[in-house]
Amino acid sequence: MMMITTAAMLTMTLSTIIMTLTTLISKKSNEDREKSSPFECGFDPKNSARLPFSSRFFLIAVIFMIFDVEIALLLPMPVTMMSSNVKSWMTVSIMFLLILIIGLYHEWNQGSLEWSE
């Protein structure tokens, strides 16, 4: 128990010393206006928020989120195969993949996957 306490105290002391040294040594300037202003996706925060912009950015973001969720749903499929009925697992897996492929084909036909026009 004493060894764990000593290691924890040593770790906290060393971390505090390193943080203090880096704060004292750093060349950070508090007057830098550009670095202290909030960054809002490349838009100037001083202007109106109602400026027109390309909706393709949001379309690509939504498509990315959809595919990200699909990957999260696909990853546990092989693990669940061992604990379920193989026939029902295969049916659900094929239907899920078929829906994904149809959705990808539809997005491809609509030109949603093309960033440049």
Side-chain angles (χ1 to χ4, degrees):
M1 183 67 178
M2 187 66 162
M3 192 169 180
I4 294 173
T5 307
T6 306
M9 290 298 289
L10 181 66
T11 304
M12 285 189 275
T13 305
L14 190 60
S15 298
T16 305
I17 290 171
I18 291 173
M19 286 190 294
T20 305
L21 283 175
T22 56
T23 303
L24 294 174
I25 295 174
S26 70
K27 298 178 181 179
K28 183 179 177 184
S29 172
N30 292 332
E31 290 81 34
D32 193 5
R33 187 175 155 267
E34 290 297 321
K35 287 186 179 179
S36 64
S37 67
F39 181 71
E40 295 286 336
C41 299
F43 299 116
D44 188 13
K46 308 285 190 260
N47 291 341
S48 173
R50 304 287 182 226
L51 294 175
F53 54 89
S54 174
S55 62
R56 297 212 41 99
F57 170 76
F58 291 104
L59 182 64
I60 294 295
V62 168
I63 290 172
F64 172 76
M65 289 302 297
I66 289 170
F67 281 115
D68 197 33
V69 169
E70 291 168 356
I71 292 298
L73 292 173
L74 281 174
L75 284 177
M77 283 180 115
V79 176
T80 59
M81 183 178 83
M82 298 300 176
S83 63
S84 65
N85 184 3
V86 176
K87 185 177 178 182
S88 65
W89 180 86
M90 190 65 83
T91 305
V92 169
S93 299
I94 289 174
M95 291 300 292
F96 185 71
L97 290 173
L98 188 64
I99 291 170
L100 293 182
I101 291 170
I102 290 171
L104 179 64
Y105 180 73
H106 177 70
E107 289 171 0
W108 193 2
N109 274 343
Q110 294 294 320
S112 299
L113 301 177
E114 298 292 327
W115 181 255
S116 61
E117 293 181 23

